[in-house]
Each structure stands twice: as structure tokens, then as C-alpha cells.
Amino acid sequence: MKLYAIILYQRSGANLKLVATATNVADFGYFERSSVREFMHFFSKTIGERTAPGTRNAVSEQAYVFFCHAREDGYTGIVIADSEYDKRVAFSVITKSLEQFTAKYTKETVDRATARDLPFPEIETMLTKYQNPAEADALLRVQRDLDETKIVLHKTIESVIGRGEKIDNLVERSNDLSASSKVFFGQAKKANSQCCIVM
Amino acid sequence: MLDVLNAIFDRFGSKLDEFDLVPVLSEADAEFHPFVVAVTPENSVKLGIPFQIVPALYTEASRGLIEAKQQSASQATSAARSSSSSSSWPEHAADLNSEIVRKLQATSRAVLMINAENYTAWNARKFLLTAKAVALQDELLFLALVFRKHPKSGEAFAHRRFVLQRLLINDPPAIKQTRLAEEFAICTTVANSYASNYFSWSHRTWLLEQVASDKDMVNTELETIKAWTAQHPQDHSGCHYLQQVLLARLRTRWPVLSELFAGEGSLALKNAKQVAALLSNANCNDLAVAATAALTEWREALNESAALLELHADNEALFHHRRFLVYHASLLAVATGIQASTELLQQETTLAQTQFAPRSFGSTPSAAQRSRLLSDYLSWLSSLHQHTADWKL
């Protein structure tokens, strides 16, 4: 079980504004890291924008799972983990991070600022803390009763983005991804895996 | 291209600890064009091989390798004036000139970085190692580099074992211990980068056999692997290895129990005759004393597993691990007296029914999975119960 990222957004209209983020890419190859980080944010935003306020989503993509909780008040939290990570813990981590964030900054402050002006080191601590299975289990003992029936499960990102759109097109059109990340995405797709033997 | 690659290795040597395939070529005027070389603040060096040049590089390297192999064979044959087959490796490396040795080393290295399953290339390296043209220690570093990109290469693990066997024979005890500790660490890294990696775990089992008599190392290994399985609760290969460590620890501490656990800890049930023969064969008193002590220790593992199962009762790997623990506990209990075994299984049934049962929450997929796993487990328990009843003899 591995936590890769906690990313928090605030909704303004149809768009999401990044307000806080923590990522852990130590497991990835040196040359992949920056692209992986870009893609984590790109996929998170794609999923977050398509999650209706007041609902929860869990989206599997290859070996990773994106857990998304959009609150009624427009704050949206995403946790990226591997498929072994307990979903009850993942959603509790989102709830906790959003609670701490909104306790620290008022809505008015957030409206006027960007992520850079809203330092939130607590989120890094949280990311490290819940890598630890003992901490995750402790959270689970308190939080055991999360109602799983309300979580919408998706097997791929494609099934979230809906009809008429393809993830390849979204990647191509995106302004958030660098040119080299787009090439990386193409190569990885061609080889059908992110950690492949090309031959 | 091969020359540039060699220059990179000559320049950075052991600092080069990672390589990967990258989507872009470096600038045409860069020092190591077309390769990408990055030096991190920690002073380790990362090599990027652009996707575009991989086919060309592989062709160049494998042609070079075959050429070098033929040259070495013909040169050795003419030097020894014997008529040995030209397709095999020469017997004496001294017959070869250094240029061919360098060529063999460089081409096999490039081939293996792209395709770690190339048999000829590993054989070329085995030849260089036996000829002492490459140091065994350096070969371990090269293998670690290969594992970064090819964690699931059976050939690479076989080669590593070949190197280790040669090193361990000559190692003094203190060095041997650090070397094995490093080996365990490598296995962990590789297991992290590729789940259920059979080769890495069987390599680790082989290492465990090498340290089986060393109590401290087995204990350290137990702690390491416990932490690992907690981190990867669904990877059964980790659990399976944990079982090997638990059994190895019992065998080391109470050699008299070895026979009871013969058969590699598999769940193939022993029949009544086998158990009766065991109990009458061994010095019964010794066995009972050892079994009682071992059972007390085994309970610690049972408790840990129960705590995990209570929280993650939809995890099949945890239930399999529990079967292993309970089966061995009942074997130990039989050795202390049959009544103890019946009692143990009854307690286990009650525990499973109360603690591992699904909490009542509608009909979610995981609740369904939980009750299915639990009922499988309970029927396994009752069949074990019937089976052990025969052990009374």
C-alpha cells in the first residue's frame, strides 16, 4: 500500500483551482519523475472536474487508484494510491486534509489567492504519515463505518470522461503538460505499460 | 554509439546507479550525444537512453558481441592448436588479447541493458568472470543497475547467484554478513518495483538458507519482512516468504521440531500414520517440551494475523496466511497432546465467527467478498478438525 499524492482543489464554475498539493514520486525512475508529477495533476483535475459536488468517486487506472471527494461547498480532494490501499482510509485522508485546510484559510482568502500564497505543509506530513500501515489501521479503527455503497467505482479514466471524449485527445490539448510528458505518454501507451521492456 | 556508452561507463563507473529509456535525444553538440546524462546533487549519475536509438544500439551491440565471440574462439583455437569447436568459449582467457576482452565486456553490457534475457551475453560475462577479466564485486554493481530497468529478469537473478556463490566461498564471516544483508536489501528494492516477483523471492529464499544458522540474521529478517507484508497486504509472495522465515526460526531454535515440519510447510495434510510415526520416533518428551515453547511463540504470530484480519477481512492473502499459521499451530498442539489440538481449533472457530465476520453494511461488493472468504475459511477449519481427530492414534 502506497500513497502517491494528496491534491486539493476549489471549484470556480466548471473549473478547479489548485489550492494545495503533496506528491511522492520517489518510487519512479529519475527521468520519469517530472512527467509522473504532471500526469498526477492532469488526471486528478480531469477526474475532479467531472465529480459532481456531494459525491465520491474511485477511479482505477493501471496500477493506480484516484479517490475523489467533491464537497458540497466546492472543495474537492483527491488521493492517489496504489490498488492495495484501503479505500476507507483514502477517503478519511481526504476528509481530514480538507477539514484542516478550511480551518486554516477562509473562503475569502482562498478566492483571492493562488496555491503558492497558501502554504499548507500539513499536507506533506499527512502524506508521509498515512504511508505507514499502522497509522492507516489506526484511522480505520475509528472510521470503519464509512458507507461504501455511496462510492461510485470506475474501472478506467475513460469511463469518467464520458462519451465523445478520449483521454489521448485531452492529453494532446492540455496546456498543463509539457511536450516531453506528452511524448512519454505516447511511448508508454505504445508499449502498453509504464515500466516496460521496449524490445 | 557503443563507444560513447563505453566512455560514459569509463568516466562515471560505480557512480552510475540508474538508467532508463527517455523520449528525447540530447543536443547534438552535447558531450554524450545521443545519450542523456544527469548528475544528481547526491553525486550519483543517471543515464538516459533515447527511445529512438534503442533498435540501432541493440543491433550494433549484439552484432559486436557475436563477432567478439567468434574472434575469441578462433584466436584461442589457433593459440592452443587444438580442434575444439569454434562455437564454445575458450578455456584459457590468457590466450585472448585485451582488445577482444574489452569488446566482449562492452557489447554484452549494452545488450543486457536493453534485453536482460540474452543468454549469450550473460554467458560472455560468466566467461569474463571466470577468466578474472571482470571483478566479481563490479559485476554485482552492474547487476544492480540492470535490475533498475529489468526487475523481473530470471537470467539476471541466475547470474547474480553465480557471482555470489563465488564471492561467498572466499568471504570471511564478517564480510559475508554485510554482503548478505546487502543482498536482502536488493531483494526488497526489486520486490517493491515489481509485485509478486517470483525470481526475487526465490533468490531471497536461497539467501535465507545461507543464513539459516545465524539467529540474529533470521530475527532481523523476520522484522524486515513483517514490515514489508504490512506495507503490501495483498502480495501473497511476501506472505509466503514470511512463512519460510517463521519456519526457519522454529527449526533453528528447536531442531527437534524439524521433522514435524518436513515437507516445506505446505498445507498438504499429514495423515494419521505419519503423525503417529513421528510422535513415536522422536524422543517424545523433548518434542513435547519444544512444541509447548514453540506454540507460545507461534501465538504471537497468530495474534498479529488476527488483528489484521479483523480490519481487512476482505483480503484473501491474509486468510491464506492464517490457514498456514493455524495448521502449524495444530501440528505443534498435537505434539503436546491431542486434547490441546482440539481445543485450539475450537477456539479458532469461535474467534473467526465473531471477529472476522462482516460488519452489517448493506450488500457492498467487499461485504460479499468477506462473507465468502469467511465461509471458505470456516469449512477449511472444520475439515482440518475432522482430519486431526484421526491423529489420536
Side-chain angles (χ1 to χ4, degrees):
Chain A
M1 45 188 282
K2 196 96 206 170
L3 269 187
Y4 294 106
I6 308 175
I7 305 173
L8 307 182
Y9 294 100
Q10 192 205 30
R11 184 175 281 276
S12 55
N15 288 321
L16 291 183
K17 183 172 86 173
L18 181 75
V19 291
T21 172
T23 53
N24 169 19
V25 290
D27 277 7
F28 296 91
Y30 179 82
F31 293 102
E32 294 171 330
R33 281 175 203 163
S34 64
S35 291
V36 167
R37 205 177 281 127
E38 281 179 19
F39 267 102
M40 282 178 174
H41 287 99
F42 172 72
F43 283 142
S44 297
K45 204 169 169 193
T46 309
I47 293 168
E49 281 168 355
R50 287 160 181 78
T51 304
T55 60
R56 292 199 183 100
N57 256 342
V59 185
S60 312
E61 181 63 31
Q62 297 169 44
Y64 312 103
V65 185
F66 293 75
F67 300 96
C68 176
H69 181 188
R71 291 201 330 197
E72 297 281 2
D73 63 0
Y75 280 105
T76 300
I78 306 250
V79 154
I80 308 175
D82 65 3
S83 55
E84 284 186 323
Y85 207 85
D86 196 294
K87 56 173 167 299
R88 293 164 291 178
V89 179
F91 281 113
S92 305
V93 170
I94 298 179
T95 310
K96 268 179 176 278
S97 328
L98 284 175
E99 271 167 13
Q100 285 190 21
F101 185 81
T102 43
K104 186 165 179 179
Y105 296 108
T106 61
K107 197 164 181 349
E108 290 70 41
T109 326
V110 178
D111 281 342
R112 275 181 278 110
T114 59
R116 205 165 294 159
D117 311 320
L118 302 165
F120 188 52
E122 293 87 337
I123 200 172
E124 296 279 353
T125 324
M126 195 99 75
L127 186 66
T128 323
K129 186 174 173 192
Y130 292 111
Q131 299 288 359
N132 179 353
E135 292 285 355
D137 280 351
L139 195 58
L140 199 52
R141 277 192 194 93
V142 197
Q143 206 68 39
R144 202 182 300 182
D145 303 348
L146 176 83
D147 188 351
E148 291 175 23
T149 45
K150 286 198 185 143
I151 301 168
V152 186
L153 301 168
H154 293 275
K155 290 245 162 64
T156 58
I157 287 204
E158 300 266 347
S159 79
V160 183
I161 59 178
R163 272 188 282 179
E165 279 197 289
K166 282 221 169 300
I167 194 73
D168 299 26
N169 300 342
L170 288 182
V171 168
E172 214 160 285
R173 283 207 308 268
S174 166
N175 297 326
D176 300 336
L177 295 168
S178 65
S180 73
S181 292
K182 289 180 185 176
V183 183
F184 234 130
F185 182 76
Q187 292 286 1
K189 267 219 117 130
K190 216 192 272 172
N192 201 19
S193 140
Q194 291 213 336
C195 49
C196 61
I197 307 168
V198 267
M199 296 309 288
Chain B
M1 276 187 289
L2 218 43
D3 294 336
V4 184
L5 191 60
N6 292 340
I8 295 173
F9 271 94
D10 288 345
R11 167 91 164 266
F12 299 110
S14 61
K15 277 193 218 148
L16 184 64
D17 63 358
E18 189 181 333
F19 75 100
D20 208 341
L21 304 174
V22 294
V24 276
L25 290 170
S26 67
E27 300 292 315
D29 57 344
E31 190 181 357
F32 298 112
H33 175 81
F35 297 96
V36 181
V37 174
V39 184
T40 67
E42 299 83 40
N43 207 20
S44 73
V45 179
K46 319 284 178 184
L47 167 68
I49 305 176
F51 279 111
Q52 298 97 309
I53 68 158
V54 168
L57 177 67
Y58 191 71
T59 318
E60 184 183 337
S62 50
R63 281 203 190 122
L65 175 64
I66 292 164
E67 221 173 79
K69 188 187 166 188
Q70 279 161 354
Q71 282 168 358
S72 69
S74 63
Q75 200 181 59
T77 322
S78 62
R81 292 185 195 292
S82 72
S83 56
S84 72
S85 149
S86 66
S87 66
S88 62
W89 298 102
E91 280 173 36
H92 304 290
D95 301 339
L96 295 181
N97 67 37
S98 59
E99 196 191 321
I100 294 183
V101 168
R102 251 208 316 276
K103 191 168 173 183
L104 274 177
Q105 142 91 328
T107 51
S108 63
R109 178 169 63 199
V111 164
L112 292 168
M113 282 168 73
I114 297 169
N115 173 12
E117 305 293 334
N118 190 313
Y119 220 80
T120 313
W122 285 124
N123 273 340
R125 301 197 72 85
K126 286 197 177 76
F127 164 71
L128 292 172
L129 289 167
T130 27
K132 296 199 165 56
V134 173
L136 290 162
Q137 189 62 50
D138 295 343
E139 191 69 355
L140 287 184
L141 290 176
F142 173 65
L143 276 161
L145 186 67
V146 171
F147 285 144
R148 289 302 293 251
K149 187 70 200 155
H150 309 285
K152 204 181 159 73
S153 164
E155 296 305 332
F157 270 104
H159 189 68
R160 192 163 185 107
R161 206 172 303 182
F162 171 92
V163 177
L164 274 175
Q165 274 166 338
R166 270 155 192 77
L167 277 169
L168 289 173
I169 288 175
N170 298 322
D171 278 344
I175 293 186
K176 189 173 171 181
Q177 209 166 25
T178 18
R179 194 186 299 288
L180 286 167
E182 279 167 17
E183 258 334 271
F184 281 124
I186 287 249
C187 284
T188 308
T189 320
V190 176
N192 281 339
S193 59
Y194 200 110
S196 304
N197 188 337
Y198 171 79
F199 300 105
S200 142
W201 291 107
S202 53
H203 185 65
R204 201 168 186 137
T205 313
W206 178 77
L207 291 170
L208 183 67
E209 283 164 24
Q210 313 297 307
V211 301
S213 55
D214 187 333
K215 272 182 202 164
D216 290 343
M217 278 205 89
V218 175
N219 282 339
T220 323
E221 183 60 4
L222 182 64
E223 289 311 314
T224 319
I225 197 65
K226 263 196 210 161
W228 196 89
T229 48
Q231 195 81 53
H232 301 83
Q234 302 196 344
D235 195 333
H236 181 68
S237 31
C239 271
H240 180 255
Y241 178 72
L242 171 63
Q243 296 166 3
Q244 304 296 320
V245 180
L246 284 169
L247 287 181
R249 202 161 82 121
L250 283 196
R251 285 201 203 97
T252 324
R253 292 191 57 179
W254 297 284
V256 64
L257 294 175
S258 302
E259 229 174 302
L260 198 58
F261 292 141
E264 283 304 306
S266 75
L267 285 183
L269 297 174
K270 289 191 168 53
N271 64 34
K273 260 188 202 158
Q274 285 170 317
V275 174
L278 267 173
L279 294 181
S280 60
N281 253 351
N283 186 336
C284 238
N285 216 3
D286 282 359
L287 189 67
V289 172
T292 314
L295 192 57
T296 319
E297 192 158 297
W298 203 252
R299 283 198 192 279
E300 193 190 316
L302 276 167
N303 290 341
E304 281 166 12
S305 133
L308 279 177
L309 261 178
E310 200 186 342
L311 285 175
H312 310 277
D314 51 351
N315 182 344
E316 194 162 11
L318 284 177
F319 267 111
H320 276 285
H321 185 56
R322 182 122 197 122
R323 287 187 194 196
F324 161 86
L325 290 173
V326 168
Y327 175 65
H328 285 85
S330 69
L331 266 180
L332 286 171
V334 167
T336 65
I338 185 64
Q339 212 47 47
S341 157
T342 315
E343 241 166 65
L344 183 127
L345 289 173
Q346 270 159 3
Q347 279 169 11
E348 178 64 17
T349 313
T350 325
L351 180 82
Q353 278 163 346
T354 53
Q355 284 193 24
F356 307 158
R359 319 267 141 187
S360 53
F361 268 129
S363 52
T364 61
S366 77
Q369 162 95 337
R370 268 182 252 180
S371 41
R372 183 178 66 78
L373 289 173
L374 181 65
S375 74
D376 283 358
Y377 180 63
L378 286 173
S379 69
W380 179 83
L381 267 182
S382 80
S383 70
L384 179 65
H385 203 153
Q386 281 167 14
H387 195 87
T388 47
D390 295 346
W391 289 352
K392 255 173 210 160
L393 286 174

